[in-house]
């Protein structure tokens, strides 16, 4: 079951780019390469009334414009963009009345996740804050964890180590416990042959 979930998450994120290219937002088309325009749109009050396609479009464009943490010339910088994106970790696109169309299409319900994964390691500090924050919603925390793990895909042991180190340096007991739990959960995402080493790492004092 765990392997199936990982495969689904992987396929969803890898095919998200194609899904988003199929979407458009006339309102934001002229500012599609202007990070300030996209951020201003997402920071507007009452975004619940905005077009779901436009919110999704803005999130995805910010991920594209800061791919691999490299902000475009004249942009506001990946860290600032990440601070906006993490606020949308629990933003769920409305599901169409006729059901989903499969992985990577209408089934890609949390667009901020794939946007943060596109940005990569530059998103890690903000994702750790969401994971340890008791005021984060369960959905935001779970999505932050998924994004964090996927950024470390192929080297999940590094994710375990990072979470463990964050837990050790955290002064707030409750936050440290959440990070510790995340480290143990990350150990379960390691390849089967590496799980003993990952598990040991997650349990070290």
């Amino acid at each position: 079951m765990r392997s199936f979930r990982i495969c689904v998450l992987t396929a969803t994120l890898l095919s998200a780019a194609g899904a988003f290219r199929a979407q458009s937002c006339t309102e934001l088309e002229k500012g599609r390469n202007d990070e300030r325009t996209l951020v201003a749109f997402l920071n507007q009050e009452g975004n619940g009334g905005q077009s779901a396609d436009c919110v999704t479009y803005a999130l995805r464009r910010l991920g594209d414009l800061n791919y691999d943490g490299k902000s475009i010339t004249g942009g506001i910088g990946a860290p600032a963009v990440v601070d906006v994106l993490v606020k949308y970790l629990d933003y769920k696109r409305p599901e169409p009345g006729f059901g989903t169309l499969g992985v990577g299409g209408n089934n890609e319900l949390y667009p901020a996740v794939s946007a943060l994964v596109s940005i990569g390691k530059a998103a890690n500090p903000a994702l750790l804050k969401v994971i340890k924050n008791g005021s984060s919603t369960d959905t935001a925390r779970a999505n932050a964890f998924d994004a964090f793990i996927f950024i470390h895909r192929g080297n999940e042991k590094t994710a375990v180590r990072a979470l463990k180190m964050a837990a050790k340096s955290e002064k707030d007991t409750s936050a440290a416990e959440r990070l510790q739990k995340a480290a143990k959960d990350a150990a379960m995402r390691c390849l089967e042959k590496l799980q003993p080493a990952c598990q040991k790492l997650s349990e070290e004092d």
Side-chain angles (χ1 to χ4, degrees), residues 9 17 19 52 80 127 144 154 156 184 190 196-197 204:
L9 175 64
L127 292 171
E156 287 79 7
K184 290 183 177 180
C190 290
E204 289 180 353

Side-chain angles (χ1 to χ4, degrees), residues 1-201:
M1 180 62 71
R2 183 175 66 253
S3 297
F4 174 76
R5 183 173 184 273
I6 294 172
C7 289
V8 169
L9 175 64
T10 301
T12 299
L13 293 172
L14 288 177
S15 57
F20 280 107
R21 278 195 294 270
Q23 295 174 343
S24 62
C25 173
T26 303
E27 180 181 347
L28 295 174
E29 187 59 33
K30 289 184 178 180
R32 66 190 306 272
N33 293 319
D34 185 348
E35 292 178 4
R36 289 174 176 80
T37 295
L38 298 170
V39 167
F41 171 80
L42 292 174
N43 282 334
Q44 288 181 62
E45 294 184 6
N47 264 343
Q50 301 286 1
S51 161
D53 279 347
C54 285
V55 173
T56 299
Y57 181 85
L59 293 171
R60 182 57 189 175
R61 283 300 299 158
L62 287 172
D64 288 344
L65 295 172
N66 290 271
Y67 182 77
D68 201 23
K70 300 171 183 176
S71 186
I72 61 171
T73 302
I76 63 176
V81 168
V82 168
D83 286 343
V84 176
L85 293 179
V86 294
K87 296 176 183 177
Y88 279 80
L89 273 168
D90 56 2
Y91 170 76
K92 183 178 181 181
R93 291 178 55 208
E95 296 183 65
F98 51 81
T100 61
L101 294 179
V103 173
N106 291 322
N107 213 28
E108 214 290 337
L109 296 179
Y110 296 99
V113 175
S114 54
L116 288 161
V117 170
S118 292
I119 292 174
K121 294 180 180 178
N124 285 342
L127 292 171
L128 286 172
K129 287 182 180 179
V130 175
I131 292 170
K132 74 177 183 179
N133 193 342
S135 63
S136 300
T137 65
D138 290 343
T139 298
R141 194 178 299 113
N143 285 343
F145 176 76
D146 279 342
F148 188 80
I149 294 299
F150 198 80
I151 287 171
H152 291 84
R153 61 192 178 279
N155 195 11
E156 287 79 7
K157 189 175 180 179
T158 302
V160 177
R161 183 178 292 109
L163 288 162
K164 186 66 179 180
M165 290 178 64
K168 286 183 176 180
S169 62
E170 178 58 52
K171 296 180 179 180
D172 182 271
T173 303
S174 296
E177 289 177 352
R178 282 186 282 271
L179 289 166
Q180 175 60 41
K181 181 182 183 303
K184 290 183 177 180
D185 291 342
M188 298 300 292
R189 298 282 190 94
C190 290
L191 294 175
E192 187 173 354
K193 65 180 181 180
L194 297 177
Q195 279 195 11
C198 288
Q199 191 67 33
K200 182 179 179 180
L201 178 62

